[in-house]
Amino acid sequence: MDRLAGSAEITAEIQRLKEEQDAILLVHNYQPDEIQDIADITGDSLELSRAAATREEGVIVFCGVDFMAETAAILSPEKTVLLPAEDACCPMAQMISAAELRLAKERHPDAAVVCYVNTSAEVKAESDICCTSSNAVKVVNSVKEDEILFVPDRNLGRYAQRFTKKKVLPWEGFCIVHDRITPAQVMAVKKAHPDAVLLVHPECRPEVIDLADHVASTSGIIKEVKASKKREFIIGTEIGILYRLKKECPDKVCFPLDDKGVCRNMKKTSLEKVRDSLLTLRPRVTVPDDVAARARAAIERMLALP
């Protein structure tokens, strides 16, 4: 059996199992092409968090990384949440622990803790409110405190600082994919494509953001490309988004800012792993009740924002 026929057979099996198990497939924009093709919902962290909180299905298959599945399990403790790629972690989320955050809170007792959704359940449990890349500015401005402990992404924290009078104290975490992009890369790609609009993710360094035409989350980038009258775009985020852009904006041309910008953990999901996960209802992601209750409060504060 050739690979294409094999993939079609597995895809058909996934659709059958999904109906049998009352399951929904939530897929992040950075996932492999063939995983995006089987998604019920494809989106960024905020869109997928909202879907996890509101959908009726009893089983959530999260095609992403660990913190995303944990967030779904926190929001829907009565549901079965599966992470087909069990070892798909987020290196940035591992750059801060709950113990480290507790120490930081002791040093800054008057500060509100805003934690990026790219964190463990234990870190969320120590936080006042969560945010995503698409709503970080709104979240920072929503809290009453004038000082913000922003964890763990220093670049997103510094981006939020641009739009608030509050004092943002960023943790020294970062996304390996976005932080590696340099102004020199930007200038080289802009020189190669002088008519292209430059769109970058707010996890990029400040000096890269300074050169961008627009800064947005993955779904924000897609919306901008769709709405723009321009034809050419330089996309400054993980290259998995290019597949969705090609499907949804076939009349536009999108160039990667960094053609080696690959999140290896996001690519660990496969059709076989999704099928096996639906067959066995494993690997299942759960969060201890006491941790989940406190983490849920931080996430729900974010979701309650207009």
Side-chain angles (χ1 to χ4, degrees):
M1 185 185 296
D2 63 35
R3 187 174 179 276
L4 203 59
S7 294
E9 191 173 286
I10 294 171
T11 299
E13 193 174 358
I14 287 168
Q15 297 302 329
R16 178 180 61 76
L17 288 166
K18 197 174 67 170
E19 290 182 23
E20 282 181 13
Q21 302 283 24
D22 184 33
I24 183 170
L25 297 180
L26 303 184
V27 175
H28 192 272
N29 289 321
Y30 296 156
Q31 285 285 293
D33 301 355
E34 63 273 17
I35 303 301
Q36 293 190 41
D37 282 342
I38 62 169
D40 292 305
I41 298 175
T42 310
D44 61 15
S45 294
L46 182 59
E47 290 172 321
L48 298 178
S49 293
R50 291 194 186 281
T54 57
R55 293 289 297 218
E56 297 297 318
E57 289 85 356
V59 175
I60 296 172
V61 183
F62 222 117
C63 300
V65 292
D66 51 4
F67 76 82
M68 298 177 176
E70 272 193 345
T71 301
I74 290 164
L75 289 170
S76 303
E78 75 288 354
K79 295 182 182 178
T80 299
V81 178
L82 307 173
L83 181 66
E86 188 173 18
D87 61 339
C89 66
C90 172
M92 185 207 297
Q94 296 177 333
M95 292 178 188
I96 184 168
S97 68
E100 288 170 324
L101 180 51
R102 283 192 289 270
L103 282 173
K105 287 164 69 174
E106 286 175 16
R107 294 190 195 106
H108 302 280
D110 298 326
V113 179
V114 174
C115 86
Y116 196 15
V117 73
N118 300 41
T119 47
S120 67
E122 290 78 12
V123 168
K124 289 180 177 72
E126 293 292 335
S127 304
D128 294 298
I129 188 169
C130 279
C131 75
T132 69
S133 57
S134 59
N135 67 9
V137 172
K138 180 190 284 189
V139 168
V140 164
N141 283 314
S142 75
V143 300
K144 65 180 189 299
E145 291 83 355
D146 292 324
E147 197 170 73
I148 308 290
L149 265 174
F150 193 98
V151 299
D153 187 356
R154 65 190 179 204
N155 292 330
L156 185 58
R158 288 168 187 157
Y159 178 72
Q161 181 68 81
R162 298 173 183 232
F163 304 95
T164 185
K165 293 179 180 176
K166 298 174 188 291
K167 184 179 181 182
V168 178
L169 305 170
W171 193 260
E172 280 299 310
F174 57 91
C175 168
I176 293 168
V177 172
H178 292 102
D179 195 65
R180 59 176 268 162
I181 298 171
T182 65
Q185 275 179 293
V186 174
M187 300 314 294
V189 179
K190 286 184 86 165
K191 187 176 180 182
H193 307 287
D195 297 326
V197 178
L198 175 60
L199 305 170
V200 306
H201 196 281
E203 289 178 13
C204 290
R205 297 182 189 188
E207 56 268 32
V208 170
I209 283 172
D210 288 341
L211 298 170
D213 296 305
H214 297 282
V215 182
S217 70
T218 53
S219 289
I221 287 172
I222 292 163
K223 284 173 191 161
E224 185 63 37
V225 172
K226 278 183 171 179
S228 177
K229 290 184 170 65
K230 299 280 188 176
R231 184 172 177 272
E232 293 188 349
F233 303 86
I234 299 164
I235 308 298
T237 190
E238 208 271 354
I239 60 173
I241 195 176
L242 295 171
Y243 181 68
R244 187 171 170 196
L245 283 165
K246 190 174 181 180
K247 281 176 71 176
E248 297 193 19
C249 312
D251 57 327
K252 310 284 176 75
V253 181
C254 295
F255 307 101
L257 176 51
D258 179 5
D259 59 8
K260 295 183 178 65
V262 176
C263 175
R264 292 179 184 174
N265 282 283
M266 279 287 189
K267 307 307 186 199
K268 288 181 176 179
T269 315
S270 67
L271 290 173
E272 290 84 358
K273 286 178 182 176
V274 174
R275 176 200 59 199
D276 293 348
S277 192
L278 282 164
L279 270 170
T280 63
L281 295 185
R282 297 190 187 291
R284 184 173 181 180
V285 175
T286 58
V287 179
D289 290 346
D290 57 330
V291 174
R294 291 184 294 136
R296 191 177 304 119
I299 300 167
E300 287 181 342
R301 285 186 198 110
M302 170 187 78
L303 294 176
L305 292 176

